[in-house]
Amino acid sequence: MQSHGYSASAFDVLRYRSGAKVSTADHLAVECPIAFEFNGISHAVMLATPSDLIDFAFGFSLSEGLIDRPEEIFDIEVRPAETGIILEITVTSRCFDRLKQRRRSLMGRTGCGLCGIEALDALGIRPEPIKEKRSFSRQHILAAVRRLPAVQPLQAQTGSTHAAAWLSASGDIVHVREDVGRHNALDKLIGAVSKADLSFSDGALVVTSRASIEIIQKAATLGIGYVAAISAPTSMAVELARTCGITLLGFLRGQDYVVYAREQDLIE
């Protein structure tokens, strides 16, 4: 397996401050097409930051329900192409049969992880309710949100990326992944957590974005019982969180926050 990528590029710009013009360099987050191929068959193209691509491959495969366990991926090759990057993923024959049955063509956007699906019926937003979930400290979540800026180097450099962070039961930030797309950052995080053989039922997810429907759907698919978002959730996200038993927090600012689902699972 190859693991490489890049996340920022420098551009010459003219910066104006207090009426004065200065020629300088500005670092911008890279965004390029990432194509997912499974056993030689093209499945999806996402516009994403081309870093942590092995994590992206594992996380996308898991959150899309194309595989059930990391071990069902035999190999991942990262192949540069003329217009982007191709992730050549080799999976078990059982997973490949499942993929062919569910195959769809979608073009991912930084603002929507569901773009390109031909019909609403194809969304398949029917995850099972969370079956295993421990209580989690609200103070651990609030403290982790305050620490997040210190572990977002790409955001500090470019000012244009989202982050997804995984918290242990003790409140430690175990993994962080960044991307121009919030759902891409989450997929990369899911890949990192799964490769580390951590249980999704033992921790909490924090995202530096709104809690959209695809965020909650991916969390429910993996059995993540706690989702905290810096911004607001959408109505569909709240409805799905309540249906699946996910504790959902939004608008985290210092000690302020809003609980949209299952406050009873939070402890002091």
Side-chain angles (χ1 to χ4, degrees):
M1 294 187 183
Q2 303 174 14
S3 179
H4 61 275
Y6 53 98
S7 55
S9 292
F11 287 79
D12 293 329
V13 300
L14 296 175
R15 190 182 305 278
Y16 286 79
R17 286 180 175 168
S18 302
K21 180 175 69 173
V22 178
S23 179
T24 184
D26 196 13
H27 287 86
L28 305 180
V30 175
E31 181 179 44
C32 79
I34 308 293
F36 289 81
E37 290 186 359
F38 291 86
N39 293 18
I41 302 298
S42 178
H43 177 70
V45 179
M46 308 297 290
L47 289 176
T49 303
S51 60
D52 300 305
L53 294 177
I54 299 300
D55 290 342
F56 197 15
F58 275 102
F60 179 86
S61 302
L62 285 164
S63 69
E64 289 289 307
L66 304 178
I67 64 173
D68 297 318
R69 301 178 306 279
E71 295 77 16
E72 292 176 317
I73 290 181
F74 293 145
D75 188 45
I76 302 170
E77 289 295 326
V78 181
R79 180 163 61 87
E82 184 176 351
T83 58
I85 295 175
I86 299 174
L87 298 182
E88 298 178 343
I89 306 168
T90 305
V91 299
T92 66
S93 58
R94 183 181 68 85
C95 293
F96 187 54
D97 289 341
R98 180 194 307 176
L99 181 148
K100 288 188 291 185
Q101 293 173 6
R102 298 179 48 197
R103 188 179 174 200
R104 66 191 187 191
S105 178
L106 65 90
M107 178 63 184
R109 308 279 176 86
T110 57
C112 176
L114 301 174
C115 297
I117 295 177
E118 295 180 356
L120 288 177
D121 290 342
L123 291 178
I125 305 176
R126 303 182 186 88
E128 295 293 325
I130 301 295
K131 297 177 180 178
E132 184 179 352
K133 180 180 177 181
R134 67 163 67 195
S135 297
F136 207 91
S137 166
R138 66 186 73 207
Q139 290 303 321
H140 284 342
I141 294 175
L142 296 176
V145 171
R146 293 193 294 270
R147 297 195 303 270
L148 261 182
V151 290
Q152 293 177 249
L154 186 55
Q155 169 65 8
Q157 186 180 29
T158 67
S160 60
T161 58
H162 290 295
W166 184 249
L167 310 185
S168 67
S170 59
D172 296 323
I173 299 177
V174 180
H175 292 288
V176 179
R177 292 294 182 269
E178 296 182 89
D179 197 278
V180 291
R182 60 186 181 275
H183 48 86
N184 298 333
L186 176 54
D187 277 339
K188 291 178 179 180
L189 179 72
I190 289 171
V193 173
S194 66
K195 284 164 53 185
D197 200 26
L198 300 175
S199 172
F200 287 105
S201 63
D202 289 340
L205 167 66
V206 177
V207 293
T208 61
S209 64
R210 71 179 184 269
S212 52
I213 180 63
E214 73 265 21
I215 297 291
I216 302 303
Q217 183 182 16
K218 289 175 184 291
T221 299
L222 275 299
I224 299 172
Y226 295 86
V227 177
I230 301 298
S231 190
T234 63
S235 61
M236 288 183 69
V238 172
E239 291 169 359
L240 185 60
R242 292 179 176 181
T243 299
C244 293
I246 293 175
T247 300
L248 175 59
L249 287 71
F251 287 116
L252 285 96
R253 302 287 190 278
Q255 289 293 316
D256 299 334
Y257 58 97
V258 180
V259 181
Y260 292 90
R262 294 197 64 84
E263 183 183 27
Q264 64 267 33
D265 297 331
L266 294 168
I267 58 176
E268 297 301 331

